[in-house]
Amino acid sequence: MALKQVSSNKCFEGFQKVFEHDSAELKCKMKFGIYLPPKAETGKCPVLYWLSGLTCTEQNFITKAAFQQAAAEHGLIVVAPDTSPRGCNIEGEDESWDFGTGAGFYVDATEDPWKTNYRMYSYIKDELPKLINANFPTDPERMSIFGHSMGGHGALILALKNPGKYKAYDATQLVKSYSGPRLDILIDQGKDDQFLSAGQLLPDNFIAACTERKIPVVFRLQQGYDHSYFFIASFINDHIKHHAKYLNA
C-alpha cells in the first residue's frame, strides 16, 4: 500500500512525520502522524499507538502533547491516526461535533449509510498496524495503545477485545469485564474536567469494575486540571514511561 509523505520535521534527533494513504477499510484517504526516534535509524523499535478524542485529527497530539522527547529517550515509535474517515459525503456526517466526522469512536458501524466507511475499530486493529509494520522499522511483537477521551475508551475497547495484542493499557473510561493476560492500567483524570462534572466519564464505575475483576489500575485524580491538551502535556511523560516499562522489557 503506497504512502505519501505530507510533512517531516526533525525533533529531538528523530523525525515527526505525517503520511497519507488510501484506506481499503474506510474507503477514503487517511492521514496519520508517526514519530520515529533516533533509535529507528539503526534498529527496530516498539510501537505505541495514540488515539485522540472527539473533533481531533492526526495533528492535535503531534503538535500539542509534547511527547516526542520522552519517546526519543525510550526509543518508541509513536503513531497517531485520525479519528474518523474523511470526505465520505454521507448525509449528516458533518452536522454534529460528536457524531460523524471527527467522531468515529473506534468502533465498526453496523447500519447504513455508515457501515461502509465508519470502520475505525478494524482500521486501528488490523489495517493500520499492517501498514506501519510494512513501512517502518517496527517490532510487531512489541506494541501498546493509549488515548484520551473518546480515544481512551477506544484504547480500552481494543485492549479488552484483543487480549495479549498490546503490552500495556491506558484508558480513561469504563471497563466492565475482561478475561485474558494481566493488565496494568494507568489513568490520569483532571479533577476540573467539565465532562467529569457533567457525569459523562464515570471513573468510579470503571474503578469498581476493575476492583471486582481484580484488574490492577492506578487512577490519579489531578487537582485543577481540565480536559484539554494542557492536561495531556502535563502527564504524557508518565504515560510514555509506563508503556516503555513493558515495551522495552
Side-chain angles (χ1 to χ4, degrees), residues 25-28 85 88 90 109 113-120:
E25 193 69 63
L26 307 180
K27 297 176 176 57
C28 66
C88 298
I90 299 174
W114 310 96
K115 65 181 183 181
T116 299
N117 303 98
Y118 279 75
R119 298 181 52 79
M120 288 298 293

Side-chain angles (χ1 to χ4, degrees), residues 61 73 92 94 124 176 191 194 222 241:
F61 184 66
E73 291 174 354
D94 296 322
I124 299 296
K176 292 183 178 179
K191 190 172 182 179
Q194 66 270 33
Q222 303 291 2
K241 184 178 180 180

Side-chain angles (χ1 to χ4, degrees), residues 3 52 95 101 110 112 123 129 159 167-168 192 197 206 208 232 240 248:
L3 290 178
S52 291
E95 292 181 0
T101 301
T110 59
D112 290 326
Y123 175 73
K167 296 298 182 185
D192 290 355
S197 59
F206 178 90
I232 294 172
I240 296 288
N248 290 328

Side-chain angles (χ1 to χ4, degrees), residues 26 30-34 47-62 65 67 77-84 86 102-108 119-129 132 143-162 165-166 168-173 227-229 231-232 236 239-240 243:
L26 307 180
M30 291 293 288
K31 291 180 181 178
F32 63 85
I34 183 168
V47 188
L48 180 54
Y49 288 85
W50 167 270
L51 304 184
S52 291
L54 287 165
T55 74
C56 291
T57 70
E58 79 289 340
Q59 288 292 320
N60 297 69
F61 184 66
I62 68 175
F67 71 91
I77 292 174
V78 181
V79 178
D82 201 350
T83 56
S84 78
R86 301 276 170 178
F105 283 93
Y106 307 105
V107 297
D108 288 347
R119 298 181 52 79
M120 288 298 293
Y121 174 82
S122 294
Y123 175 73
I124 299 296
K125 182 175 79 76
D126 298 318
E127 183 178 7
L128 184 60
I132 298 299
M143 60 188 295
S144 193
I145 191 165
F146 67 154
H148 170 249
S149 194
M150 175 183 74
H153 184 251
L156 184 58
I157 288 173
L158 282 144
L160 295 174
K161 283 191 173 184
N162 300 277
K165 184 178 179 70
Y166 304 98
Y169 312 89
D170 176 355
T172 59
Q173 304 237 1
H227 199 77
S228 71
Y229 266 86
F231 162 63
I232 294 172
I236 194 66
H239 289 257
I240 296 288
H243 289 271

Side-chain angles (χ1 to χ4, degrees), residues 177-205:
S177 63
Y178 176 77
S179 178
R182 181 181 183 275
L183 304 179
D184 184 1
I185 302 172
L186 172 62
I187 302 172
D188 277 302
Q189 170 66 61
K191 190 172 182 179
D192 290 355
D193 186 327
Q194 66 270 33
F195 298 106
L196 178 67
S197 59
Q200 296 184 26
L201 302 183
L202 306 176
D204 291 342
N205 291 1

Side-chain angles (χ1 to χ4, degrees), residues 12-29:
F12 294 103
E13 300 304 316
F15 285 91
Q16 177 63 63
K17 297 175 179 284
V18 174
F19 288 89
E20 184 180 69
H21 71 102
D22 291 313
S23 170
E25 193 69 63
L26 307 180
K27 297 176 176 57
C28 66
K29 290 187 180 296

